[in-house]
Amino acid sequence: MITLIDNKKYSFTADNIEDYLPLQNIANRQISELLDEHGKNILIYPHSFLQCEDETEKQSILSLQTFWKENKCTKVILETGNIAGFIGVNELSVSIHSRFSQSEKEDFFLHYMFHKVLNINIVSLKHEKSEEQIFNFLLYLFPKYLNEALQQGIYKEYQQNKYNDIHVRGTIDISRHFKKNLPFNGCIAYRTREFDHDNHVTELIRHTIDYICKTKTGKELLENDADTRACVAQIVSATPHYKRQERERIIQSNLKSISHPYYTHYAPLQKLCLRILRHEKIKYGRNHDKIHGIMFDVSYLWEEYLAKILIKQGFKHPNNKKGIGHIYLARNNHFLRYPDFYREHDQTVIDAKYKKDINRDDVHQMVTYMYRLKAINGIFALPTYKKGAQSCFELLGYGALHNAKLQTYFFPITQTASNYKEFSASMKLSEERFEDQFKQYHLT
Protein backbone atom coordinates (compact mmCIF):
# COMPACT_ATOMS: atom_id res chain seq x y z
CA MET A 1 0.00 0.00 0.00
CA ILE A 2 1.14 3.53 -0.82
CA THR A 3 0.19 6.09 1.84
CA LEU A 4 -0.14 9.72 0.69
CA ILE A 5 -1.62 12.93 2.07
CA ASP A 6 -3.80 15.39 0.21
CA ASN A 7 -2.52 18.55 -1.50
CA LYS A 8 1.08 17.38 -1.71
CA LYS A 9 3.61 16.69 -4.47
CA TYR A 10 5.80 13.57 -4.41
CA SER A 11 8.81 12.59 -6.45
CA PHE A 12 9.99 8.98 -6.84
CA THR A 13 13.30 7.91 -8.31
CA ALA A 14 13.80 4.58 -6.54
CA ASP A 15 14.59 1.29 -8.25
CA ASN A 16 11.04 0.03 -7.63
CA ILE A 17 9.56 2.91 -9.57
CA GLU A 18 7.62 0.47 -11.75
CA ASP A 19 5.43 -0.29 -8.76
CA TYR A 20 3.86 3.16 -9.20
CA LEU A 21 3.17 2.89 -12.91
CA PRO A 22 -0.25 1.15 -12.44
CA LEU A 23 -1.45 4.51 -11.09
CA GLN A 24 -1.57 5.68 -14.70
CA ASN A 25 -4.94 3.89 -14.87
CA ILE A 26 -6.49 6.35 -12.42
CA ALA A 27 -4.22 9.42 -12.58
CA ASN A 28 -4.89 12.49 -14.75
CA ARG A 29 -8.48 11.36 -15.34
CA GLN A 30 -11.61 13.21 -14.28
CA ILE A 31 -13.44 11.62 -11.36
CA SER A 32 -16.64 11.62 -13.42
CA GLU A 33 -14.88 9.52 -16.06
CA LEU A 34 -13.75 6.96 -13.48
CA LEU A 35 -17.26 6.79 -12.06
CA ASP A 36 -18.75 6.19 -15.51
CA GLU A 37 -16.40 3.25 -16.06
CA HIS A 38 -16.11 1.81 -12.54
CA GLY A 39 -19.08 3.30 -10.69
CA LYS A 40 -20.16 -0.08 -9.29
CA ASN A 41 -16.82 -0.49 -7.55
CA ILE A 42 -16.21 3.08 -6.41
CA LEU A 43 -18.11 4.54 -3.46
CA ILE A 44 -18.01 8.30 -3.00
CA TYR A 45 -19.14 10.82 -0.41
CA PRO A 46 -21.15 12.89 -1.02
CA HIS A 47 -23.32 10.66 -3.25
CA SER A 48 -22.50 12.79 -6.26
CA PHE A 49 -19.60 15.19 -6.53
CA LEU A 50 -22.00 17.29 -8.60
CA GLN A 51 -23.20 18.63 -5.23
CA CYS A 52 -19.83 20.30 -4.75
CA GLU A 53 -19.43 23.85 -5.96
CA ASP A 54 -15.73 23.37 -6.75
CA GLU A 55 -16.67 21.09 -9.67
CA THR A 56 -14.94 18.17 -7.99
CA GLU A 57 -16.24 15.75 -10.61
CA LYS A 58 -13.96 17.49 -13.14
CA GLN A 59 -10.89 17.09 -10.94
CA SER A 60 -8.63 14.05 -10.79
CA ILE A 61 -7.85 11.92 -7.75
CA LEU A 62 -4.18 12.56 -8.41
CA SER A 63 -1.93 13.77 -11.19
CA LEU A 64 1.03 11.75 -12.44
CA GLN A 65 4.00 12.68 -14.59
CA THR A 66 6.50 10.10 -15.81
CA PHE A 67 9.93 10.80 -17.24
CA TRP A 68 11.53 8.26 -19.54
CA LYS A 69 15.03 7.69 -20.85
CA GLU A 70 16.00 4.93 -23.25
CA ASN A 71 12.60 3.22 -22.87
CA LYS A 72 12.94 3.18 -19.11
CA CYS A 73 11.00 5.27 -16.60
CA THR A 74 13.52 7.24 -14.55
CA LYS A 75 11.28 9.49 -12.46
CA VAL A 76 7.67 9.81 -11.31
CA ILE A 77 6.08 12.99 -9.96
CA LEU A 78 2.81 12.43 -8.14
CA GLU A 79 0.49 15.17 -6.84
CA THR A 80 -2.68 14.84 -4.79
CA GLY A 81 -5.62 17.23 -4.47
CA ASN A 82 -8.65 17.57 -2.18
CA ILE A 83 -9.71 13.92 -2.48
CA ALA A 84 -8.97 11.54 0.40
CA GLY A 85 -9.82 7.89 0.81
CA PHE A 86 -8.71 4.54 -0.55
CA ILE A 87 -8.42 3.38 -4.14
CA GLY A 88 -6.64 0.54 -5.82
CA VAL A 89 -5.81 -0.69 -9.27
CA ASN A 90 -4.38 -4.12 -10.09
CA GLU A 91 -2.38 -5.19 -7.03
CA LEU A 92 -1.47 -1.63 -6.03
CA SER A 93 -3.57 0.17 -3.41
CA VAL A 94 -3.38 3.81 -2.37
CA SER A 95 -4.45 5.40 0.90
CA ILE A 96 -4.81 9.20 0.82
CA HIS A 97 -5.05 10.83 4.25
CA SER A 98 -5.83 14.43 5.06
CA ARG A 99 -2.69 16.54 5.40
CA PHE A 100 -3.54 16.92 9.08
CA SER A 101 -3.11 13.22 9.85
CA GLN A 102 -0.52 12.65 12.55
CA SER A 103 0.78 9.32 11.25
CA GLU A 104 0.35 6.84 8.43
CA LYS A 105 -2.00 4.81 10.62
CA GLU A 106 -4.25 7.51 12.03
CA ASP A 107 -6.25 10.34 10.51
CA PHE A 108 -8.02 11.88 13.49
CA PHE A 109 -9.01 15.00 11.52
CA LEU A 110 -10.85 13.08 8.79
CA HIS A 111 -12.60 10.90 11.39
CA TYR A 112 -13.54 13.96 13.46
CA MET A 113 -15.13 15.78 10.51
CA PHE A 114 -17.06 12.64 9.59
CA HIS A 115 -18.35 12.31 13.14
CA LYS A 116 -19.44 15.96 13.22
CA VAL A 117 -20.99 16.11 9.76
CA LEU A 118 -22.80 12.77 10.14
CA ASN A 119 -23.79 13.42 13.78
CA ILE A 120 -21.92 10.39 15.07
CA ASN A 121 -20.96 10.34 18.74
CA ILE A 122 -17.75 8.33 19.15
CA VAL A 123 -15.45 9.29 22.00
CA SER A 124 -12.59 6.90 21.30
CA LEU A 125 -10.77 5.66 18.23
CA LYS A 126 -8.35 2.77 18.45
CA HIS A 127 -5.24 2.38 16.32
CA GLU A 128 -6.28 0.32 13.33
CA LYS A 129 -4.89 -0.86 10.04
CA SER A 130 -5.95 0.89 6.84
CA GLU A 131 -8.25 -1.99 5.91
CA GLU A 132 -10.12 -1.63 9.19
CA GLN A 133 -10.34 2.15 8.77
CA ILE A 134 -11.99 1.62 5.38
CA PHE A 135 -14.60 -0.58 6.98
CA ASN A 136 -15.20 2.02 9.72
CA PHE A 137 -15.84 4.72 7.12
CA LEU A 138 -18.38 2.43 5.46
CA LEU A 139 -20.14 2.01 8.80
CA TYR A 140 -20.11 5.78 9.44
CA LEU A 141 -21.96 6.38 6.17
CA PHE A 142 -24.68 3.79 6.74
CA PRO A 143 -26.97 5.74 9.14
CA LYS A 144 -26.95 8.83 6.88
CA TYR A 145 -27.61 6.86 3.70
CA LEU A 146 -30.35 4.89 5.49
CA ASN A 147 -32.06 8.03 6.80
CA GLU A 148 -31.95 9.75 3.39
CA ALA A 149 -33.41 6.69 1.67
CA LEU A 150 -36.23 6.27 4.20
CA GLN A 151 -37.22 9.91 3.69
CA GLN A 152 -38.51 8.70 0.31
CA GLY A 153 -40.52 5.98 2.01
CA ILE A 154 -39.86 2.26 2.31
CA TYR A 155 -38.83 0.78 -1.01
CA LYS A 156 -41.64 -1.16 -2.71
CA GLU A 157 -41.72 -3.33 -5.80
CA TYR A 158 -43.77 -6.17 -7.28
CA GLN A 159 -42.97 -9.58 -5.78
CA GLN A 160 -43.93 -13.08 -6.86
CA ASN A 161 -45.34 -14.71 -3.72
CA LYS A 162 -46.44 -18.32 -3.30
CA TYR A 163 -49.31 -19.42 -1.03
CA ASN A 164 -51.10 -22.61 -0.13
CA ASP A 165 -54.39 -21.93 1.64
CA ILE A 166 -58.13 -21.70 1.06
CA HIS A 167 -58.14 -17.96 0.14
CA VAL A 168 -57.27 -18.13 -3.55
CA ARG A 169 -56.46 -14.68 -4.92
CA GLY A 170 -54.02 -15.39 -7.73
CA THR A 171 -52.95 -17.88 -10.38
CA ILE A 172 -53.29 -21.54 -9.38
CA ASP A 173 -49.96 -23.39 -9.43
CA ILE A 174 -51.05 -26.83 -10.72
CA SER A 175 -47.81 -28.78 -10.24
CA ARG A 176 -47.20 -27.40 -6.74
CA HIS A 177 -50.86 -28.02 -5.85
CA PHE A 178 -50.59 -31.71 -6.75
CA LYS A 179 -47.40 -32.08 -4.71
CA LYS A 180 -48.75 -30.41 -1.58
CA ASN A 181 -52.48 -31.07 -1.57
CA LEU A 182 -53.09 -34.67 -2.70
CA PRO A 183 -55.05 -36.28 -1.28
CA PHE A 184 -57.11 -33.08 -1.22
CA ASN A 185 -56.89 -31.30 2.14
CA GLY A 186 -58.97 -28.19 1.38
CA CYS A 187 -56.00 -25.96 0.43
CA ILE A 188 -55.06 -24.71 -3.02
CA ALA A 189 -51.54 -23.75 -4.12
CA TYR A 190 -51.39 -20.46 -6.00
CA ARG A 191 -49.05 -17.52 -6.68
CA THR A 192 -49.62 -13.77 -6.76
CA ARG A 193 -47.80 -10.67 -7.97
CA GLU A 194 -48.01 -8.13 -5.15
CA PHE A 195 -46.63 -4.66 -4.47
CA ASP A 196 -44.62 -5.45 -1.36
CA HIS A 197 -42.22 -3.79 1.08
CA ASP A 198 -40.49 -7.09 1.75
CA ASN A 199 -38.27 -7.40 -1.33
CA HIS A 200 -34.63 -7.97 -2.29
CA VAL A 201 -33.67 -4.34 -1.53
CA THR A 202 -35.22 -4.05 1.94
CA GLU A 203 -33.94 -7.55 2.73
CA LEU A 204 -30.44 -6.40 1.78
CA ILE A 205 -30.76 -3.46 4.16
CA ARG A 206 -32.06 -5.76 6.90
CA HIS A 207 -29.10 -8.12 6.45
CA THR A 208 -26.75 -5.13 6.65
CA ILE A 209 -28.36 -3.92 9.87
CA ASP A 210 -27.98 -7.39 11.36
CA TYR A 211 -24.34 -7.55 10.24
CA ILE A 212 -23.49 -4.08 11.59
CA CYS A 213 -25.01 -4.87 14.98
CA LYS A 214 -22.42 -7.61 15.43
CA THR A 215 -19.42 -5.32 14.83
CA LYS A 216 -17.47 -3.48 17.55
CA THR A 217 -19.09 -0.06 17.18
CA GLY A 218 -21.99 -0.97 14.90
CA LYS A 219 -24.72 -1.23 17.49
CA GLU A 220 -23.66 2.13 18.92
CA LEU A 221 -23.92 3.71 15.44
CA LEU A 222 -27.43 2.36 14.86
CA GLU A 223 -28.57 3.66 18.25
CA ASN A 224 -26.84 7.01 17.81
CA ASP A 225 -30.00 9.11 17.39
CA ALA A 226 -33.77 8.81 17.32
CA ASP A 227 -34.04 9.13 13.51
CA THR A 228 -31.67 6.21 12.90
CA ARG A 229 -33.43 4.05 15.49
CA ALA A 230 -36.79 4.79 13.84
CA CYS A 231 -35.42 3.92 10.37
CA VAL A 232 -33.97 0.64 11.64
CA ALA A 233 -37.33 -0.21 13.23
CA GLN A 234 -39.15 0.48 9.93
CA ILE A 235 -36.85 -1.85 7.99
CA VAL A 236 -37.19 -4.60 10.59
CA SER A 237 -40.98 -4.28 10.52
CA ALA A 238 -41.03 -4.34 6.69
CA THR A 239 -39.00 -7.57 6.39
CA PRO A 240 -40.93 -10.31 8.28
CA HIS A 241 -39.46 -13.02 6.01
CA TYR A 242 -35.87 -12.23 6.95
CA LYS A 243 -33.64 -15.31 7.24
CA ARG A 244 -29.96 -15.09 8.10
CA GLN A 245 -29.09 -18.17 6.00
CA GLU A 246 -30.35 -16.46 2.82
CA ARG A 247 -27.75 -13.67 2.96
CA GLU A 248 -25.70 -14.86 -0.02
CA ARG A 249 -28.82 -15.21 -2.17
CA ILE A 250 -29.91 -11.67 -1.25
CA ILE A 251 -26.47 -10.30 -2.10
CA GLN A 252 -26.55 -11.97 -5.51
CA SER A 253 -30.04 -10.60 -6.22
CA ASN A 254 -28.78 -7.04 -5.58
CA LEU A 255 -25.78 -7.06 -7.91
CA LYS A 256 -27.84 -5.13 -10.44
CA SER A 257 -28.12 -1.47 -9.41
CA ILE A 258 -31.51 0.08 -8.68
CA SER A 259 -32.68 2.55 -11.32
CA HIS A 260 -36.00 3.76 -9.93
CA PRO A 261 -37.15 7.30 -10.86
CA TYR A 262 -38.58 7.93 -7.38
CA TYR A 263 -36.42 5.93 -4.96
CA THR A 264 -33.23 7.69 -6.04
CA HIS A 265 -31.50 7.51 -2.65
CA TYR A 266 -31.75 3.73 -2.53
CA ALA A 267 -29.07 3.22 -5.22
CA PRO A 268 -26.16 4.57 -3.12
CA LEU A 269 -27.57 2.77 -0.05
CA GLN A 270 -27.70 -0.49 -2.01
CA LYS A 271 -24.06 -0.08 -3.10
CA LEU A 272 -22.99 0.71 0.47
CA CYS A 273 -24.81 -2.33 1.86
CA LEU A 274 -23.06 -4.61 -0.63
CA ARG A 275 -19.67 -3.20 0.32
CA ILE A 276 -20.36 -3.71 4.03
CA LEU A 277 -21.73 -7.24 3.70
CA ARG A 278 -18.89 -8.35 1.48
CA HIS A 279 -16.44 -6.56 3.77
CA GLU A 280 -14.30 -5.58 0.81
CA LYS A 281 -10.79 -4.66 1.81
CA ILE A 282 -7.85 -3.28 -0.10
CA LYS A 283 -7.48 -6.35 -2.24
CA TYR A 284 -7.66 -6.20 -5.97
CA GLY A 285 -7.41 -8.57 -8.90
CA ARG A 286 -4.83 -8.62 -11.64
CA ASN A 287 -7.03 -7.26 -14.40
CA HIS A 288 -6.14 -3.81 -15.66
CA ASP A 289 -9.77 -2.64 -15.38
CA LYS A 290 -10.13 -3.81 -11.78
CA ILE A 291 -10.53 -0.57 -9.79
CA HIS A 292 -12.17 -0.30 -6.38
CA GLY A 293 -12.28 2.52 -3.91
CA ILE A 294 -14.01 4.72 -1.39
CA MET A 295 -13.34 8.44 -1.73
CA PHE A 296 -14.27 11.60 0.14
CA ASP A 297 -14.24 15.21 -0.96
CA VAL A 298 -12.42 16.75 2.02
CA SER A 299 -13.27 20.30 0.95
CA TYR A 300 -16.97 19.35 1.09
CA LEU A 301 -16.49 17.82 4.54
CA TRP A 302 -14.66 20.95 5.72
CA GLU A 303 -17.50 23.20 4.56
CA GLU A 304 -20.18 21.00 6.14
CA TYR A 305 -18.16 20.80 9.35
CA LEU A 306 -18.02 24.61 9.59
CA ALA A 307 -21.75 24.68 8.87
CA LYS A 308 -22.32 22.81 12.15
CA ILE A 309 -20.70 25.76 13.92
CA LEU A 310 -21.94 28.72 11.91
CA ILE A 311 -25.61 27.83 11.43
CA LYS A 312 -26.00 27.97 15.21
CA GLN A 313 -24.69 31.55 15.01
CA GLY A 314 -27.40 32.61 12.58
CA PHE A 315 -25.48 32.20 9.32
CA LYS A 316 -27.30 31.08 6.20
CA HIS A 317 -25.73 28.11 4.44
CA PRO A 318 -26.94 27.97 0.81
CA ASN A 319 -27.41 24.47 -0.58
CA ASN A 320 -27.19 24.01 -4.34
CA LYS A 321 -28.56 20.46 -4.11
CA LYS A 322 -31.77 21.65 -2.43
CA GLY A 323 -31.77 24.95 -4.32
CA ILE A 324 -32.02 27.09 -1.17
CA GLY A 325 -30.21 30.23 -0.03
CA HIS A 326 -28.92 31.17 -3.48
CA ILE A 327 -28.38 34.68 -4.77
CA TYR A 328 -28.37 36.25 -8.24
CA LEU A 329 -25.73 38.68 -9.46
CA ALA A 330 -27.97 40.28 -12.09
CA ARG A 331 -31.61 41.18 -12.57
CA ASN A 332 -34.15 38.71 -13.95
CA ASN A 333 -32.52 35.81 -12.13
CA HIS A 334 -29.24 35.81 -14.03
CA PHE A 335 -25.86 34.50 -12.76
CA LEU A 336 -26.98 32.15 -9.99
CA ARG A 337 -24.48 31.82 -7.13
CA TYR A 338 -24.21 29.94 -3.81
CA PRO A 339 -22.00 31.66 -1.21
CA ASP A 340 -20.80 29.29 1.53
CA PHE A 341 -22.13 31.32 4.48
CA TYR A 342 -23.53 34.80 5.00
CA ARG A 343 -25.27 36.72 7.77
CA GLU A 344 -27.16 39.86 6.88
CA HIS A 345 -27.51 41.66 10.20
CA ASP A 346 -23.77 42.24 10.54
CA GLN A 347 -23.01 42.14 6.79
CA THR A 348 -20.67 39.14 6.96
CA VAL A 349 -19.69 36.58 4.33
CA ILE A 350 -17.59 33.49 5.18
CA ASP A 351 -15.97 31.26 2.58
CA ALA A 352 -14.73 27.80 3.64
CA LYS A 353 -11.51 26.88 1.86
CA TYR A 354 -9.72 23.57 2.31
CA LYS A 355 -6.36 24.77 1.04
CA LYS A 356 -3.10 26.18 2.35
CA ASP A 357 -3.66 29.71 1.10
CA ILE A 358 -6.07 31.72 -1.00
CA ASN A 359 -5.46 32.81 -4.60
CA ARG A 360 -6.62 35.65 -6.82
CA ASP A 361 -9.74 33.76 -8.00
CA ASP A 362 -10.79 33.25 -4.36
CA VAL A 363 -10.41 36.98 -3.72
CA HIS A 364 -12.41 37.88 -6.84
CA GLN A 365 -15.20 35.51 -5.79
CA MET A 366 -15.34 36.88 -2.25
CA VAL A 367 -15.35 40.52 -3.35
CA THR A 368 -18.20 39.67 -5.77
CA TYR A 369 -20.24 38.14 -2.94
CA MET A 370 -19.49 41.09 -0.65
CA TYR A 371 -20.53 43.60 -3.29
CA ARG A 372 -23.75 41.73 -4.07
CA LEU A 373 -24.72 41.24 -0.40
CA LYS A 374 -23.51 44.71 0.63
CA ALA A 375 -21.20 43.05 3.13
CA ILE A 376 -18.38 44.86 4.90
CA ASN A 377 -16.84 41.74 6.43
CA GLY A 378 -15.41 38.89 4.38
CA ILE A 379 -13.66 35.90 5.97
CA PHE A 380 -11.77 33.00 4.42
CA ALA A 381 -11.75 30.07 6.89
CA LEU A 382 -8.78 27.75 6.31
CA PRO A 383 -7.55 24.82 8.44
CA THR A 384 -3.89 24.92 9.42
CA TYR A 385 -1.36 23.22 11.69
CA LYS A 386 0.97 26.23 11.64
CA LYS A 387 0.93 29.06 14.13
CA GLY A 388 0.52 32.48 12.64
CA ALA A 389 -1.37 35.73 12.83
CA GLN A 390 -4.62 36.16 10.93
CA SER A 391 -4.35 38.44 7.92
CA CYS A 392 -6.66 41.40 7.40
CA PHE A 393 -6.93 43.79 4.44
CA GLU A 394 -8.96 46.98 4.04
CA LEU A 395 -10.61 46.98 0.63
CA LEU A 396 -10.64 50.02 -1.62
CA GLY A 397 -13.95 51.01 -3.14
CA TYR A 398 -17.15 52.94 -2.84
CA GLY A 399 -20.73 52.23 -1.88
CA ALA A 400 -21.24 48.67 -0.67
CA LEU A 401 -17.54 48.04 -0.14
CA HIS A 402 -16.75 51.29 1.67
CA ASN A 403 -14.68 50.48 4.81
CA ALA A 404 -14.94 46.77 4.03
CA LYS A 405 -12.40 44.29 5.36
CA LEU A 406 -11.22 41.01 3.90
CA GLN A 407 -9.69 38.56 6.38
CA THR A 408 -8.14 35.11 6.40
CA TYR A 409 -8.82 33.06 9.50
CA PHE A 410 -6.55 30.07 10.07
CA PHE A 411 -8.41 27.40 12.02
CA PRO A 412 -5.83 25.51 14.16
CA ILE A 413 -5.69 21.70 13.86
CA THR A 414 -3.53 20.10 16.54
CA GLN A 415 -0.67 17.81 15.53
CA THR A 416 0.33 16.71 19.02
CA ALA A 417 -2.68 14.71 20.25
CA SER A 418 -1.72 11.24 21.48
CA ASN A 419 -5.24 9.80 21.06
CA TYR A 420 -8.61 10.62 19.55
CA LYS A 421 -10.13 11.84 22.82
CA GLU A 422 -7.32 14.36 23.23
CA PHE A 423 -7.68 15.43 19.58
CA SER A 424 -11.44 15.99 20.03
CA ALA A 425 -10.86 18.14 23.10
CA SER A 426 -8.37 20.27 21.18
CA MET A 427 -10.80 20.68 18.27
CA LYS A 428 -13.53 21.86 20.63
CA LEU A 429 -11.18 24.60 21.87
CA SER A 430 -10.47 25.62 18.27
CA GLU A 431 -14.21 25.77 17.59
CA GLU A 432 -14.79 28.02 20.60
CA ARG A 433 -11.96 30.35 19.55
CA PHE A 434 -13.36 30.49 16.02
CA GLU A 435 -16.78 31.53 17.28
CA ASP A 436 -15.28 34.13 19.63
CA GLN A 437 -13.00 35.47 16.92
CA PHE A 438 -15.62 36.25 14.32
CA LYS A 439 -17.96 37.58 17.02
CA GLN A 440 -15.22 39.96 18.10
CA TYR A 441 -14.49 41.01 14.52
CA HIS A 442 -17.98 41.38 13.20
CA LEU A 443 -20.68 41.90 15.81
CA THR A 444 -21.78 45.51 15.82
Side-chain angles (χ1 to χ4, degrees):
M1 176 180 287
I2 301 174
T3 301
L4 308 172
I5 62 174
D6 67 51
N7 291 279
K8 186 174 181 179
K9 182 179 289 188
Y10 297 85
S11 179
F12 302 99
T13 57
D15 293 335
N16 62 346
I17 198 169
E18 292 185 1
D19 294 342
Y20 298 92
L21 295 184
L23 291 178
Q24 293 178 100
N25 291 281
I26 59 175
N28 307 324
R29 300 178 65 187
Q30 290 187 2
I31 291 176
S32 58
E33 182 183 347
L34 287 175
L35 291 176
D36 287 340
E37 294 183 13
H38 308 280
K40 290 183 179 180
N41 300 321
I42 299 177
L43 192 68
I44 61 174
Y45 182 79
H47 297 170
S48 170
F49 284 142
L50 294 173
Q51 296 178 26
C52 308
E53 269 200 273
D54 295 333
E55 296 185 320
T56 307
E57 80 282 357
K58 296 182 180 179
Q59 300 178 24
S60 59
I61 299 173
L62 47 85
S63 63
L64 182 70
Q65 288 181 285
T66 56
F67 298 87
W68 298 76
K69 185 177 181 180
E70 298 178 353
N71 296 323
K72 183 178 180 180
C73 185
T74 59
K75 185 178 181 181
V76 169
I77 294 180
L78 188 66
E79 188 170 6
T80 56
N82 280 343
I83 304 300
F86 311 86
I87 193 164
V89 55
N90 302 337
E91 294 182 338
L92 178 65
S93 54
V94 182
S95 172
I96 305 177
H97 291 199
S98 76
R99 65 179 182 272
F100 301 101
S101 60
Q102 297 176 216
S103 72
E104 291 187 359
K105 293 184 178 180
E106 295 294 353
D107 195 346
F108 291 150
F109 181 61
L110 191 57
H111 281 273
Y112 186 81
M113 286 199 296
F114 253 97
H115 295 170
K116 285 291 186 177
V117 171
L118 301 179
N119 297 316
I120 299 172
N121 183 25
I122 294 181
V123 296
S124 63
L125 194 67
K126 297 180 180 179
H127 291 270
E128 295 175 326
K129 298 179 181 179
S130 294
E131 293 91 339
E132 294 170 330
Q133 289 189 45
I134 296 170
F135 188 61
N136 282 339
F137 281 121
L138 294 174
L139 297 186
Y140 297 159
L141 291 173
F142 182 78
K144 180 176 178 62
Y145 281 34
L146 177 66
N147 293 345
E148 289 182 350
L150 266 293
Q151 287 177 4
Q152 298 179 324
I154 300 178
Y155 185 85
K156 294 190 297 184
E157 69 177 13
Y158 282 105
Q159 294 286 101
Q160 289 284 354
N161 294 322
K162 296 180 180 180
Y163 299 95
N164 187 49
D165 53 43
I166 62 174
H167 307 290
V168 181
R169 59 184 188 277
T171 304
I172 296 176
D173 191 335
I174 302 296
S175 60
R176 191 162 56 90
H177 176 72
F178 286 154
K179 290 179 182 179
K180 289 182 172 291
N181 303 317
L182 288 181
F184 185 63
N185 57 9
C187 295
I188 297 177
Y190 61 97
R191 59 180 181 272
T192 64
R193 188 169 182 264
E194 301 171 312
F195 210 41
D196 198 354
H197 286 126
D198 197 352
N199 51 67
H200 73 291
V201 175
T202 53
E203 284 285 340
L204 178 71
I205 302 170
R206 174 68 183 277
H207 280 276
T208 308
I209 290 171
D210 183 62
Y211 183 82
I212 290 176
C213 283
K214 293 179 173 60
T215 62
K216 294 179 181 178
T217 59
K219 189 174 182 180
E220 181 181 354
L221 284 171
L222 296 180
E223 296 178 352
N224 187 65
D225 58 75
D227 289 340
T228 301
R229 290 194 297 270
C231 288
V232 170
Q234 288 183 64
I235 293 296
V236 172
S237 176
T239 52
H241 300 126
Y242 168 76
K243 294 180 181 179
R244 167 63 183 83
Q245 58 270 28
E246 294 185 350
R247 180 163 297 172
E248 187 58 36
R249 182 185 66 80
I250 293 297
I251 290 175
Q252 292 299 319
S253 66
N254 278 274
L255 295 183
K256 183 179 179 181
S257 300
I258 301 171
S259 57
H260 197 287
Y262 177 74
Y263 295 110
T264 54
H265 287 302
Y266 275 87
L269 176 59
Q270 180 193 39
K271 184 189 295 186
L272 177 63
C273 288
L274 289 172
R275 293 292 297 273
I276 291 175
L277 289 176
R278 293 152 85 180
H279 199 168
E280 291 175 354
K281 301 181 180 180
I282 296 295
K283 184 178 181 181
Y284 305 96
R286 295 178 179 272
N287 298 328
H288 288 289
D289 61 349
K290 193 69 173 180
I291 295 177
H292 287 82
I294 173 170
M295 299 183 298
F296 321 106
D297 181 2
V298 190
S299 60
Y300 174 88
L301 282 172
W302 172 244
E303 180 182 332
E304 294 306 304
Y305 163 63
L306 291 184
K308 295 291 182 179
I309 303 172
L310 295 174
I311 289 177
K312 295 178 181 178
Q313 304 299 321
F315 279 87
K316 294 181 180 179
H317 179 40
N319 187 313
N320 61 332
K321 179 186 176 184
K322 297 180 179 179
I324 59 174
H326 55 268
I327 62 174
Y328 293 100
L329 301 183
R331 295 183 185 278
N332 300 319
N333 297 339
H334 288 299
F335 306 130
L336 177 70
R337 294 294 185 273
Y338 288 88
D340 287 347
F341 308 96
Y342 64 94
R343 190 167 63 180
E344 295 173 333
H345 79 266
D346 59 357
Q347 299 172 284
T348 300
V349 180
I350 298 179
D351 197 5
K353 292 296 182 186
Y354 185 77
K355 51 174 62 177
K356 297 177 181 179
D357 204 352
I358 59 173
N359 57 37
R360 64 196 304 270
D361 290 335
D362 299 327
V363 173
H364 293 164
Q365 181 188 56
M366 175 62 85
V367 171
T368 299
Y369 290 156
M370 293 176 67
Y371 179 84
R372 169 62 181 82
L373 295 168
K374 299 180 180 179
I376 58 174
N377 308 297
I379 306 175
F380 292 108
L382 285 70
T384 185
Y385 50 80
K386 298 179 181 179
K387 294 182 179 179
Q390 317 302 325
S391 60
C392 180
F393 302 93
E394 293 187 4
L395 297 179
L396 300 175
Y398 297 95
L401 293 183
H402 186 57
N403 295 325
K405 294 181 179 179
L406 184 60
Q407 305 171 55
T408 302
Y409 182 88
F410 294 101
F411 193 105
I413 312 296
T414 182
Q415 295 290 288
T416 59
S418 59
N419 54 59
Y420 185 71
K421 186 176 182 180
E422 185 178 324
F423 181 86
S424 298
S426 176
M427 288 296 292
K428 287 181 173 60
L429 289 176
S430 294
E431 292 164 5
E432 292 173 0
R433 291 169 186 163
F434 178 55
E435 291 178 351
D436 293 341
Q437 198 78 3
F438 74 72
K439 286 179 183 178
Q440 171 187 339
Y441 287 157
H442 305 297
L443 287 180
T444 57

